[in-house]
Amino acid sequence: MAQKSRIAVTPGDGIGPEVVAEAVRCLETLRAKHDLALEWTRFPWPSHAWHEEHSESMPDDALEQLGAFDAILLGALGDPGPMDDPQRYLLPDSISLAPLLDMRKGFDQWVCERPARLHPGARQFLADERAKDIDMLVIRENSEGEYVGQGGRLRKGTPDEVATQMEVFTRRATDRIIRYGFDQARLRATERSQQGRTRQFKTLDGRSCESQVCVITKRNALRYWGDMYTEAFEEISQEYPDVATHHELVDAACMKFVQCPWTFDVVVASNLQGDILTDLAAVLSGGMGVAPSCNLNPTDPDMPSMFEPTHGSAPDIAGQGLADPTAMLFTTARMLEWLGRKDPALAAAGKALFDAVAADLAESAGSQRGTREIGDAICKRLEI
Ligand code: IPM
Ligand code: MN
């Protein structure tokens, strides 16, 4: 039997614990059925509840503790809800969400992968029938850029106050994220051709390729990093003549995500621009309730990667059993596939979970079901 893979389960705030409970039930079902070498430990932090008791969102040695695991499965962080309780314990976003950024940084999870595919049964927000073909992978640079957290406030609270917020872009992080994008494009083309669903993308010189990478910048206004991204993209693309290349300014990309999202394959964007684009991409794939997200460290096997849905703590529906666990379960499937790099049985379990969630979505299109009911239906499928 393969060496046990260990998961740190951090349910967090709001609907986090509700959707994580369904993920854990699916993991239990899969482990029992396939005798998986998998175990998990649940942590009450980071969370508002922990902060209320300990005056900090997580213990000082949190990263050390989490670092001993192979992956982190995170529910959501933020306003715990319910919204109609004005007395609830609330923290400023910059404090309650800091652990998320600390984990990404501390474990050098330099890739944030957010696939956006309109699965059958998912809500189609665009009227155009071609929206059914939406299938893109947005890769967000996750280690630097606009999120380095450098800056400060001068003369705070006075009319002469100055706030500075630095953006930092290094050539090393730029190269690695662009190269990762090209590698994923190739991988996706191979997978598609194995499944008999080839796609075609035109290159600038009129050739046809089976995959594409579109890099996003705002180089007409933010020229320093924009030009560096453009140069790195141009250079690295030479190593991938089989992949079509494309560039969009971020504002135009927003327009085209709505106008013709089916023309995108892999999209590489900076930390903030990727953050914004992936909320839009989530809606294109059926909404926040179905959008998975993975924070990956593909280079250091000793560092855990973190898996969390794109959605937040949804305080408006927290505690009511109404949250759709689909995004969490798609995310859990991707975590198993990731762990499956070392243990093929986990990769197979990840595929089984993905298929069960997709089948459930297809069959139950538009029906009003609670968190538990959706979890039940998917667990049932996994038992067959
Ligand atoms: C996300 C979230 C976070 C981000 C917030 C909560 C800091 O919006 O994961 O997309 O901006 O990265
Ligand atoms: Mn976001």
Side-chain angles (χ1 to χ4, degrees), residues 97 100-101 104 114 140 147 271 275 278-279 308 310:
L97 295 157
L100 190 62
L101 303 180
R104 288 179 185 164
R114 294 186 165 169
R140 167 181 177 190
Y147 274 52
N271 214 331
D275 175 46
T278 50
D279 266 34
E308 41 143 8
T310 305

Side-chain angles (χ1 to χ4, degrees), residues 324-346:
D324 189 339
T326 301
M328 185 77 230
L329 298 178
F330 272 142
T331 303
T332 308
R334 286 186 85 83
M335 176 190 72
L336 289 171
E337 283 174 30
W338 179 258
L339 294 171
R341 300 186 314 165
K342 275 199 246 159
D343 178 357
L346 293 181

